[in-house]
Amino acid sequence: MPIRIGVAGWSVPTKLAAEFPSTGTHLERYGTRFSAVEINSSFYRPHQHKTYVRWAASVPPDFRFSVKLPKVITHEQRFIGCQDLVARFAEETSGLGDKRGPVLVQLPPSFAYPGDIAEQFLHALKVIINGPVVLEPRHVSWFQPEVDLMLKRQHVSRVAADPARFASAAQPGGWDGLAYFRLHGFPHIYESLYSAESVQAHANSIAALSACGTDVWTIYDNTTFGAATQNALELIEALQVLKPLPAASTD
């Protein structure tokens, strides 16, 4: 199964410019080295359909975008009365075509598990999106066996995050057909560079998941000082030492 590696955003840090082609847009240059990217700006504001079309045209055929669901759905309305908002998001992001990967649903830390509301929303989201969904809850009430079973029923994967708010949040959950890791930097979130030992350990873990037939995504979000791009490049190298990367993750 594909092992996809990328960054939250496609800026090319100046100190790593030599690792990328010298010409083209940032996204075009980024797409020569990575197989995936996470679009976070969609969380804050909508993008036009034609913008997504342009982005999709800037990258190779096997490249994939994950896209973050708008915060008005997750943080403001909290799944209630959101069908029109989801439909708008689906139409906009359909500009990515078959390069649209998982939709990332990140919840605020104060959002406790709302029971049937969650399952109804996720079911409707999957129908409208017609694609994979990954969920990043941050309230402890979501990390219960019955919630995990609900996510499996809906074929929704729970994000593994680092640093994790509690131990179970560090591991993927829900549907096991897809594992999605969001690595924010440690000890300083968004800033710290992961050590070579940490990158190698993660490479070992995701290689094992892939060997079991799981589609694996790793997104580095320690972007403040360019550490994310460096760690993502290092992870590619670490996997190549283990075995050649699947085609979806090569240049």
Side-chain angles (χ1 to χ4, degrees):
M1 296 300 293
I3 297 177
R4 297 193 178 275
I5 299 165
V7 177
W10 52 76
S11 62
V12 176
T14 301
K15 66 180 180 180
L16 295 172
E19 300 285 343
F20 299 84
S22 58
T23 59
T25 65
H26 279 284
L27 179 54
E28 288 169 339
R29 295 166 67 201
Y30 174 99
T32 66
R33 297 303 310 272
F34 299 119
S35 62
V37 73
E38 184 181 277
I39 299 175
N40 276 279
S41 55
S42 55
F43 179 73
Y44 301 101
R45 63 185 185 279
H47 299 298
Q48 294 182 347
H49 180 273
K50 65 181 181 181
T51 300
Y52 286 107
V53 171
R54 184 177 74 250
W55 288 341
S58 301
V59 293
D62 62 356
F63 190 95
R64 296 293 182 269
F65 297 82
S66 64
V67 193
K68 197 170 184 180
L69 201 65
K71 68 175 182 178
V72 64
I73 297 172
T74 55
H75 288 53
E76 297 174 19
Q77 296 195 207
R78 301 194 175 205
F79 297 169
I80 303 297
C82 296
Q83 186 168 349
D84 289 347
L85 292 169
V86 171
R88 175 183 172 179
F89 173 81
E91 191 281 328
E92 291 164 350
T93 60
S94 69
L96 295 172
D98 60 7
K99 294 177 183 175
R100 186 177 67 189
V103 168
L104 169 63
V105 182
Q106 185 192 61
L107 304 182
S110 60
F111 190 176
Y113 180 59
D116 290 345
I117 290 172
E119 184 159 18
Q120 292 164 7
F121 172 81
L122 292 171
H123 175 76
L125 175 64
K126 293 224 26 154
V127 169
I128 296 170
I129 291 293
N130 190 29
V133 171
V134 295
L135 177 73
E136 185 179 12
R138 291 182 287 174
H139 189 280
V140 68
S141 60
W142 289 83
F143 295 84
Q144 307 298 328
E146 61 271 22
V147 180
D148 211 53
L149 289 173
M150 180 276 290
L151 295 177
K152 290 177 180 178
R153 285 197 301 271
Q154 296 302 325
H155 280 207
V156 171
S157 302
R158 194 185 71 232
V159 168
D162 183 81
R165 291 175 175 268
F166 24 85
S168 52
Q171 300 300 322
W175 183 56
D176 62 4
L178 189 158
Y180 195 102
F181 294 86
R182 302 189 79 226
L183 309 181
H184 303 289
F186 182 83
H188 301 294
I189 191 168
Y190 305 129
E191 298 179 0
S192 294
L193 182 74
Y194 287 100
S195 67
E197 294 78 11
S198 177
V199 171
Q200 186 62 60
H202 185 64
N204 295 341
S205 296
I206 63 175
L209 283 169
S210 180
C212 293
T214 300
D215 187 1
V216 183
W217 283 61
T218 295
I219 297 294
Y220 284 98
D221 190 29
N222 47 338
T223 55
T224 301
F225 302 118
T229 305
Q230 180 175 334
N231 281 149
L233 291 169
E234 291 170 346
L235 181 59
I236 291 174
E237 292 179 3
L239 283 165
Q240 288 171 337
V241 170
L242 295 175
K243 64 179 182 178
L245 279 172
S249 297
T250 57
D251 296 348

